[in-house]
RNA sequence: GGCGCGGUGGCAGAGUGGUUAUGCAGCGGACUGCAACUCCGUGUACGCCGGUUCGAUUCCGACCCGCGCCUCCA
């Protein structure tokens, strides 16, 4: 039985999908006005691992992750760039797909875009107005009347009184209550807009997710995920919209990833410590970034720092070392390691524990090799690749991993390195160790580390 | 101020009512021409104070500290 921590109950619960063997999952995706940053990577990878594991456990997973391709930030940025907003969003969507691919994130089953769901959004708003949960204001906006929804605050554990008391006075006084939020935003002159019963305008942020999730997965579905800062108000508002409109439970399991910090500080643009995925990938291999993120639990806060990334790199290198030069069996029977791995992952996707198992399997491989047990080594290698694959790790050819470390390329080509290694091995054969060591030092200065073994000398960048 | 989360060994990071997390770093040994890799061994731990218990890092309460959300944000 898989157990999942549910933000709604603030507790781990047995996972029982609506339909046995099937999982319907929705995750809030990107607003595509800029490149994806590390926080996005965290959510992307967390739910990628969750999807992979559920599929590994035999579930048929429908994974929907939306794209917000119309909102204020997009319009502002497009305006600054002097380009149509669609040119901006298309470019950022393409960049996002590139980033995901590098990080080994499997594409979702569907990626609905807000602009493709305008009619559904309008229909949903109309239902909310008809049922008395929403009202058109005289400024062309339509607002959700939060006080009409009795369960408001059940996800984020906030009380409406506190929210209203603590709210800033909104300049848009068209709202009946400061806690009300926009479902539809009336267009200003010259702005991109769609026609609606309330005049030309565009959807508010929260309504698009209710429309896209309901439209893709049904009015009730199993898992809804997203970043930690989406819990309030975004997810709270989604619940208010969907449950008021459809009269049924919106989502059974709410999952939220932990925050990413940078050098123990909140990651923010004002602090200048905001990293995009592509910036990070210039310095670290994508798989190292992935290992770093997967090596702590998805709900815990992680701290991005040079030291932490380098440590992740060393740990991953250790695993690839076990795989290097070893034959991998086509298949291997289920082992104690598989069972341990499942036990940990069944318990709210404990990837940190699961990585411990990977290291245990790597130790087995190393031991088998040392003792000359070729068949056992190949079997263990198959287990390591199998379990690593569930986490999206260790699927590269080890040689590729070792020989291509971004940011650490000393400028030497593989050919040049191998040439020097041949010279060194000749010197060793001649017992000219001074010369051999000089060559090794030269390579080390270029970031190339040599590993001698019975089979010969291999190298890596590190 | 309101709501929520967390404090584990030098660092990162799991877990458990009484028995080794794991990784990195350190130390000793094996291997090696010497290293690296690998293997064997090894030390430092559960914020503070009470309570429950035969026994708590692990359950309960208070306290201290850190963090997140409450405004666009993954």
């Amino acid at each position: 039985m898989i157990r999942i921590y549910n933000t709604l109950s603030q507790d781990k619960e047995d996972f029982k999908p609506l339909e046995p063997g099937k999982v319907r999952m929705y995750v809030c995706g990107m607003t595509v006005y800029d490149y994806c940053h590390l926080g996005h990577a965290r959510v992307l990878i967390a739910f990628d691992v969750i999807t992979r594991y559920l599929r590994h456990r035999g579930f048929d997973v429908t994974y929907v992750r939306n794209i917000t391709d119309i909102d204020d930030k997009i319009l502002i940025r497009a305006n600054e760039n002097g380009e149509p907003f669609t040119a901006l969003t298309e470019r950022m969507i393409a960049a996002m797909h590139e980033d995901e691919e590098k990080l080994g994130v499997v594409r979702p089953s569907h990626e609905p875009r807000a602009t493709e769901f305008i009619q559904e959004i309008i229909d949903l708003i109309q239902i909310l107005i008809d049922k008395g949960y929403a009202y058109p204001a005289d400024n062309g906006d339509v607002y959700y009347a939060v006080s009409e929804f009795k369960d408001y605050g059940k996800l984020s554990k906030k009380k409406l009184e506190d929210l209203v008391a603590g709210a800033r006075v909104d300049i848009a006084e068209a709202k009946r209550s400061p806690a009300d939020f926009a479902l539809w935003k009336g267009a200003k002159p010259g702005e991109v807009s769609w026609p609606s019963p309330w005049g030309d305008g565009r959807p508010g942020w929260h309504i698009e997710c209710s429309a896209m999730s309901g439209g893709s997965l049904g009015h009730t579905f199993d898992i809804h995920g997203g970043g930690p800062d989406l819990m309030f108000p975004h997810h709270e508002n989604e619940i208010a919209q969907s449950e008021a409109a459809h009269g049924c439970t919106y989502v059974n399991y709410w999952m939220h990833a932990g925050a990413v910090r940078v050098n123990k500080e909140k990651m923010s643009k004002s602090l200048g410590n905001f990293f995009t995925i592509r910036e990070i990938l210039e310095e670290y291999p994508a798989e190292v970034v992935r290992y770093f993120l997967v090596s702590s639990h998805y709900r815990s806060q992680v701290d991005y720092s040079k030291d932490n990334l380098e440590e992740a790199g060393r740990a991953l290198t250790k695993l690839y070392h076990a795989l290097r030069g070893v034959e991998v069996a086509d298949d291997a029977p289920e082992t104690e390691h598989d069972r341990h791995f499942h036990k940990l992952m069944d318990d709210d996707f404990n990837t940190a524990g699961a990585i411990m198992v990977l290291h245990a399997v790597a130790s087995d491989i190393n031991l088998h090799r040392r003792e000359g047990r070729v068949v056992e080594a190949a079997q263990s290698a198959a287990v390591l690749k199998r379990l690593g694959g569930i986490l999206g790790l260790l699927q590269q050819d080890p040689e590729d991993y070792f020989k291509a470390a971004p940011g650490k390329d000393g400028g030497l080509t593989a050919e040049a390195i191998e040439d020097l290694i041949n010279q060194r091995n000749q010197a060793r054969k001649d017992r000219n160790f001074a010369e051999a060591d000089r060559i090794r030092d030269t390579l080390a200065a270029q970031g190339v580390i040599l590993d001698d073994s019975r089979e010969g000398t291999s190298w890596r960048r590190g």
Side-chain angles (χ1 to χ4, degrees):
Chain A
M1 177 66 81
I2 290 174
R3 291 174 64 77
I4 294 179
Y5 182 89
N6 189 348
T7 307
L8 209 49
S9 62
Q10 300 174 98
D11 207 358
K12 284 181 196 170
E13 299 174 10
D14 288 344
F15 178 59
K16 298 198 184 92
L18 289 165
E19 194 178 332
K22 287 203 162 193
V23 177
R24 297 178 176 85
M25 180 167 84
Y26 183 90
V27 172
C28 288
M30 259 57 75
T31 299
V32 285
Y33 73 105
D34 206 344
Y35 293 114
C36 294
H37 61 245
L38 233 204
H40 294 118
R42 164 89 131 152
V43 172
L44 250 20
I45 288 172
F47 288 97
D48 180 57
V49 170
I50 287 164
T51 303
R52 285 171 189 257
Y53 186 66
L54 290 171
R55 285 181 177 149
H56 172 73
R57 284 305 233 168
F59 288 99
D60 174 14
V61 181
T62 304
Y63 174 19
V64 177
R65 194 185 62 216
N66 76 294
I67 295 173
T68 298
D69 62 349
I70 177 69
D71 100 325
D72 290 341
K73 291 187 293 297
I74 291 170
L75 296 180
I76 291 167
R77 181 65 58 88
N79 198 256
E80 284 168 4
N81 294 351
E83 63 182 337
F85 82 100
T86 48
L88 173 65
T89 56
E90 290 303 325
R91 198 167 65 248
M92 289 305 147
I93 289 168
M96 172 182 82
H97 287 153
E98 276 174 30
D99 292 344
E100 292 194 78
E101 194 175 331
K102 284 183 184 150
L103 290 171
V105 171
V106 174
R107 291 280 280 277
S109 318
H110 305 291
E111 282 189 300
R113 303 182 186 189
T115 54
E116 296 166 346
F117 273 75
I118 300 293
Q119 190 54 51
E120 287 85 345
I121 289 168
I122 290 171
D123 292 346
L124 193 54
I125 295 173
Q126 190 57 251
I127 292 172
L128 289 169
I129 293 174
D130 292 345
K131 290 193 170 186
Y133 288 100
Y135 56 95
D138 50 19
N139 62 353
D141 291 355
V142 178
Y143 295 106
Y144 187 98
V146 165
S147 59
E148 297 298 320
F149 185 68
K150 63 175 172 22
D151 282 338
Y152 196 77
K154 70 175 175 180
L155 180 69
S156 56
K157 320 302 171 200
K158 291 180 189 303
K159 291 190 178 67
L160 192 53
E161 310 90 84
D162 298 338
L163 286 169
V164 174
R168 297 176 184 178
V169 180
D170 201 307
I171 298 164
E173 286 301 340
K175 288 185 192 176
R176 289 180 193 165
S177 162
D180 292 354
F181 56 90
L183 297 171
W184 187 259
K185 296 182 172 191
K188 297 185 186 77
E191 235 175 30
V192 178
S193 66
W194 289 261
S196 85
W198 321 286
D200 291 353
R202 59 195 157 85
W205 177 33
H206 314 296
I207 194 70
E208 61 169 77
C209 280
S210 282
M212 287 187 272
S213 60
S216 322
L217 296 170
H219 294 173
T220 302
F221 54 94
D222 300 300
I223 298 173
H224 188 130
D229 39 10
L230 257 35
M231 200 166 94
F232 186 88
H234 187 56
H235 292 159
E236 196 69 61
N237 291 352
E238 282 187 52
I239 291 174
Q241 294 161 345
S242 293
E243 298 196 347
H246 306 308
C248 56
T249 299
Y250 178 41
V251 169
N252 285 138
Y253 302 88
W254 283 93
M255 299 181 72
H256 292 91
V260 176
R261 312 183 78 212
V262 173
N263 294 321
K264 313 237 178 198
E265 280 185 319
K266 182 184 160 72
M267 184 168 78
S268 76
K269 285 183 176 169
S270 56
L271 287 167
N273 61 354
F274 218 81
F275 289 97
T276 64
I277 293 173
R278 39 194 61 206
E279 281 169 341
I280 289 164
L281 294 184
E282 281 172 20
E283 282 195 67
Y284 302 100
E287 196 174 348
V288 169
V289 176
R290 188 176 176 102
Y291 183 99
F292 165 68
L293 260 9
V294 170
S295 64
S296 63
H297 187 88
Y298 76 89
R299 276 190 285 119
S300 67
Q301 187 173 260
V302 297
D303 185 44
Y304 175 79
S305 71
K306 190 170 183 291
D307 285 351
N308 289 348
L309 263 286
E310 284 177 0
E311 185 181 320
R314 283 192 293 269
L316 183 61
T317 293
K318 186 178 175 120
L319 293 177
Y320 267 116
H321 258 297
L323 248 19
R324 190 176 209 182
V326 75
E327 200 183 315
V328 179
D330 290 335
D331 197 15
E334 189 179 79
T335 65
E336 206 46 55
H337 290 306
D338 289 89
R339 285 185 283 278
H340 193 195
F341 186 96
H342 291 157
K343 182 167 174 264
L344 291 160
M345 288 295 285
D346 279 355
D347 183 13
D348 197 30
F349 310 100
N350 185 352
T351 53
I355 280 197
M356 162 193 76
V357 177
L358 260 38
H359 283 281
V361 179
S363 277
D364 281 1
I365 298 172
N366 290 328
L367 207 52
H368 287 317
R369 294 171 82 177
R370 194 179 166 84
E371 312 272 317
R373 292 188 294 267
V374 179
V375 175
E376 287 86 343
Q379 296 254 306
S380 289
V383 173
L384 183 54
K385 290 205 76 158
R386 174 165 72 211
L387 298 181
I390 297 167
L391 302 178
L393 298 170
L394 302 174
Q395 301 306 296
Q396 289 187 68
D397 182 327
E399 294 306 318
D400 293 340
Y401 173 80
F402 284 118
K403 292 178 178 174
K408 290 176 178 163
D409 192 329
L412 287 176
T413 62
E415 292 72 33
I417 291 165
E418 267 143 34
D419 193 48
L420 284 165
I421 287 172
N422 288 336
Q423 289 175 35
R424 170 169 170 272
N425 282 339
Q426 186 57 51
R428 290 170 75 206
K429 211 177 282 179
D430 299 339
R431 307 198 67 77
N432 182 357
F433 296 120
E435 173 63 6
D437 290 349
R438 190 193 63 74
I439 295 170
R440 186 170 62 197
D441 291 345
T442 303
L443 285 166
Q446 303 275 356
V448 176
I449 298 165
L450 302 186
D451 301 309
D452 293 329
S453 77
R454 235 168 287 158
E455 296 87 40
T457 302
S458 54
W459 60 274
R460 63 192 156 98
R461 299 190 200 270

